[in-house]
Amino acid sequence: MRILICEDSTLLREGLIRVLEDAGHTVVAALPRAEGIVETVTETAPELCILDVRLPPTFTDEGIRAALDLRAQHPSLPVLVLSQYVEERYASDLITGQNAALGYLLKDRVADVRDFLDSIDRIAAGATVLDPEVVAQLLTRRARDERMSRLTDRERSVLALIAEGKSNAAIATALFVSEASVEKYITSLFQKLGLEQDEHGNRRVLAALVHLEHGTPPAGGHPDQNGTLR
């Protein structure tokens, strides 16, 4: 896979290059700041971009603004944003944007190379992958919403795992239930949240969590023939 990195920390940037190239990926560019990133994407045609949230010169939101610009100008380009801390507002901005594949992970996750590379593969394949800490905050802040209160404990567990980008099979393994049971839980919780399933099911759940207190969440299309969320 062709990957572009935008990270100001030389140590982390070089570490990412090493991890990715050792896994067989090609790093087409490694930038220390966000200036010119859209042009570099056009020139190098990466298949995925990894950006830090906070970049020079102000170290506030340059990275997230660059990610949003990329998603506007290259709507099909998968983007993975790395953050030092949970910054829910930034995750919300990305989730409610375009339909392209998305990842938002804490930098600590890079240390678990196997999981990090798995996240890279899932994002490139079209999934939305959020850090479990971000998911926990989204769920906690929406817990008092009347629609969220309709969910059983098991449905909340399934919802959290969907939001982390887990497949039905992975959810079944994590909860020690069958995939058929997972599909039933998913159908139930989508109905309770007023959502329709589609090929971007996990992303729809995230958008719902962001918008629950602001009215009816966005509707989607239809599930695939197996009811599987991607």
Side-chain angles (χ1 to χ4, degrees):
M1 188 192 320
R2 296 168 57 81
I3 299 175
L4 179 147
I5 299 170
C6 188
E7 166 60 55
D8 68 289
S9 167
T10 302
L11 184 62
L12 180 55
R13 188 170 66 247
E14 293 301 318
L16 286 169
I17 293 172
R18 177 67 178 272
V19 165
L20 293 170
E21 291 187 340
D22 284 352
H25 301 298
T26 300
V27 177
V28 298
L31 310 176
R33 53 202 303 136
E35 285 84 354
I37 190 171
V38 174
E39 293 77 9
T40 303
V41 166
T42 301
E43 293 169 2
T44 60
E47 297 168 274
L48 180 140
C49 287
I50 301 175
L51 301 92
D52 187 3
V53 165
R54 298 179 182 273
L55 291 167
T58 68
F59 296 96
T60 54
D61 62 352
E62 283 86 354
I64 206 70
R65 286 191 284 108
L68 292 170
D69 286 345
L70 284 177
R71 289 170 72 77
Q73 303 215 20
H74 299 273
S76 63
L77 178 65
V79 172
L80 168 60
V81 175
L82 298 177
S83 180
Q84 190 69 43
Y85 310 103
V86 175
E87 300 181 80
E88 186 187 321
R89 177 172 61 87
Y90 293 147
S92 299
D93 288 344
L94 288 169
I95 292 164
T96 55
Q98 303 298 317
N99 287 327
L102 166 71
Y104 187 103
L105 298 175
L106 296 184
K107 290 183 178 181
D108 288 348
R109 307 299 175 191
V110 179
D112 190 330
V113 174
R114 179 179 295 180
D115 282 353
F116 176 70
L117 292 173
D118 178 65
S119 295
I120 290 287
D121 290 339
R122 286 189 285 141
I123 295 164
T128 298
V129 178
L130 279 196
D131 194 282
E133 293 296 326
V134 177
V135 173
Q137 287 202 17
L138 289 170
L139 288 171
T140 299
R141 290 191 57 180
R142 275 66 180 179
R144 296 183 182 179
D145 184 277
E146 188 264 334
R147 280 164 290 187
M148 285 292 289
S149 68
R150 300 172 188 167
L151 304 185
T152 65
D153 289 343
R154 179 49 59 90
E155 288 167 349
R156 286 173 183 268
S157 297
V158 171
L159 176 62
L161 291 168
I162 292 171
E164 291 173 25
K166 303 293 187 185
S167 67
N168 286 11
I171 294 172
T173 299
L175 299 180
F176 303 101
V177 298
S178 67
E179 285 191 54
S181 295
V182 170
E183 290 169 11
K184 290 179 181 178
Y185 290 130
I186 290 171
T187 298
S188 176
L189 70 88
F190 266 61
Q191 289 174 343
K192 291 177 180 179
L193 292 178
L195 289 172
E196 295 179 25
Q197 295 173 236
D198 67 2
E199 68 275 15
H200 300 291
N202 60 316
R203 186 177 181 281
R204 292 295 180 185
V205 171
L206 295 171
L209 294 174
V210 171
H211 287 297
L212 275 176
E213 75 267 31
H214 299 301
T216 302
H222 300 285
D224 64 20
Q225 61 182 355
N226 297 315
T228 301
L229 303 182
R230 301 190 186 279

